[in-house]
Amino acid sequence: MTWEVIHGDCLEVMRTMQAGSFDAVVTDPPYPRAFMGLYAGVAEAAARLLVDGGSLLAIVPHCS
């Protein structure tokens, strides 16, 4: 098993990657409420990148 940590703007980086080539996507988007819209984009990109049965793990903030 191999793994790699890739640091950068996840939406930009994910656009460059081959579809169906990941078992997991782990991300920690910015927490401020202004960035909440990123989660939908990450989910869409992960759906393209993940193999069947793959996992998207996103660290999410507590917002009230």
Side-chain angles (χ1 to χ4, degrees):
M1 173 186 281
T2 62
W3 58 271
E4 180 180 355
V5 174
I6 300 168
H7 184 264
D9 181 316
C10 65
L11 295 179
E12 288 181 19
V13 172
M14 292 169 91
R15 277 188 214 107
T16 69
M17 298 176 168
Q18 182 178 351
S21 59
F22 289 85
D23 294 313
V25 172
V26 180
T27 186
D28 185 9
Y31 288 169
R33 190 177 292 271
F35 294 98
M36 292 305 291
L38 287 176
Y39 290 87
V42 168
E44 185 177 317
R48 183 184 70 80
L49 294 176
L50 290 168
V51 298
D52 287 342
S55 298
L56 168 61
L57 299 126
I59 299 168
V60 298
H62 171 75
C63 294
S64 53

